[in-house]
Amino acid sequence: MVGPRPGGPASASGDGGGLRLAAYALGGADGLTLGVASETHEPGNHTIAGVAVVLLSLLTAPRRGADSAVRDAALVRLLLGEGPAEAARSLDPGPWTVVHAQGGDGTPFAAAALAATLGTSLVETSDGTTVRLLLPASTAVVAQPDWTIGVSAPAEARDLALADTHAAQALRRALATRKPLVRHREPGPLTPKDARARLAPLADSPALVETLRTWLSLHGSWDRTAAAMDIHRNTVRQRIGRCETLLAADLDDVDVRMELWFALRQG
């Protein structure tokens, strides 16, 4: 069954009348949904529904003109490594949002189904793990079932390479903190209250706080931190690993490091 969808999540499911019921948003401006009813819940059902979502999204999408094809090609060139200046010439000025996502059901159709749900054909999956999408900044990106998503801040076409990096950082933060969706934010000074809340998991361990402070001040150097604190290099690694766990932070992310540095300076 395909019918109008006035609004709501990308998919929903439930049981009723002895049947397993599921609804999938097809994306696009018409707000269509695919409804599926089955007597049993088999692992392959979701995959089959994903294929149907992709095909129906293509069939019900507005006819795409030459401009859309050019934008698709520009995205692929941009995200496969061509300089942003060349790709941006083929794009509308924007603003745009870059999305990185991991998850789905592991089938080749998962990325296309996610793109259809978010209402874009601008999708790229070259590394086999991360799905990259480009959407107009006016598109509302919300958490999707079975996906972990990182979202960049709105960016002009000429700045998409940086937005791509920010989306990747947001995805790493989402994976590290086990959140379904994280949006990029520019690091900046925190209020004393925010700083205390951010560092609260380390409140009972002055040694961890001082090690983190020293390590960040020395740009993540294990050897220089060990020398500065007169402790073994392995001790530094163990303490920083403990900080990462307690703070649910990805310390490979430069934005996270800056956020924690600002928090420590407030403390």
Side-chain angles (χ1 to χ4, degrees), residues 10-36:
S11 66
S13 62
D15 299 298
L19 295 174
R20 178 68 174 177
L21 308 174
Y24 302 85
L26 298 182
D30 294 333
L32 299 178
T33 48
L34 167 67
V36 179

Side-chain angles (χ1 to χ4, degrees), residues 75 77 167 222:
L75 174 70
R77 292 200 305 272
W222 308 108

Side-chain angles (χ1 to χ4, degrees), residues 161-185:
L162 180 59
D164 186 48
T165 299
H166 288 164
Q169 292 171 346
L171 175 60
R172 288 199 299 272
R173 193 177 299 121
L175 292 168
T177 58
R178 298 182 181 180
K179 294 181 179 179
L181 185 146
V182 168
R183 302 180 191 277
H184 171 76
R185 63 186 184 280

Side-chain angles (χ1 to χ4, degrees), residues 24-258:
Y24 302 85
L26 298 182
D30 294 333
L32 299 178
T33 48
L34 167 67
V36 179
S38 58
E39 294 182 353
T40 58
H41 179 58
E42 300 293 340
N45 289 358
H46 184 64
T47 300
I48 295 171
V51 176
V53 168
V54 174
L55 295 177
L56 287 170
S57 295
L58 293 173
L59 289 172
T60 58
R63 189 176 300 276
R64 303 174 67 240
D67 289 345
S68 295
V70 169
R71 288 208 310 269
D72 289 4
L75 174 70
V76 172
R77 292 200 305 272
L78 175 66
L79 295 183
L80 288 182
E82 183 176 313
E86 292 81 356
R89 292 192 189 104
S90 300
L91 284 168
D92 295 333
W96 298 88
T97 298
V98 179
V99 172
H100 283 211
Q102 289 186 14
D105 58 12
T107 70
F109 308 103
L114 177 64
T117 297
L118 295 179
T120 182
S121 62
L122 303 176
V123 58
E124 189 271 326
T125 57
S126 62
D127 72 357
T129 301
T130 301
V131 178
R132 302 179 184 182
L133 307 103
L134 182 63
L135 309 97
S138 59
T139 303
V141 181
V142 298
Q144 302 294 325
D146 303 320
W147 288 95
T148 302
I149 295 175
V151 184
S152 76
E156 301 296 322
R158 63 179 179 273
D159 298 322
L160 282 179
L162 180 59
D164 186 48
T165 299
H166 288 164
Q169 292 171 346
L171 175 60
R172 288 199 299 272
R173 193 177 299 121
L175 292 168
T177 58
R178 298 182 181 180
K179 294 181 179 179
L181 185 146
V182 168
R183 302 180 191 277
H184 171 76
R185 63 186 184 280
E186 293 296 334
L190 303 175
T191 67
K193 180 179 179 181
D194 290 339
R196 288 193 297 271
R198 187 69 180 96
L199 297 172
L202 307 183
D204 295 331
S205 180
L208 290 183
V209 172
E210 189 56 32
T211 302
L212 180 61
R213 188 194 309 275
T214 305
W215 184 76
L216 290 173
S217 73
L218 295 174
H219 309 290
S221 170
W222 308 108
D223 292 329
R224 293 168 63 195
T225 301
M229 298 189 68
D230 194 24
I231 57 178
H232 196 277
R233 186 173 188 269
N234 288 343
T235 302
V236 176
R237 285 187 174 275
Q238 291 168 2
R239 289 182 181 179
I240 294 302
R242 184 62 178 158
C243 289
E244 193 166 35
T245 299
L246 291 173
L247 295 170
D250 177 10
L251 290 177
D252 289 330
D253 186 332
V254 66
D255 287 343
V256 173
R257 291 192 187 192
M258 291 181 67

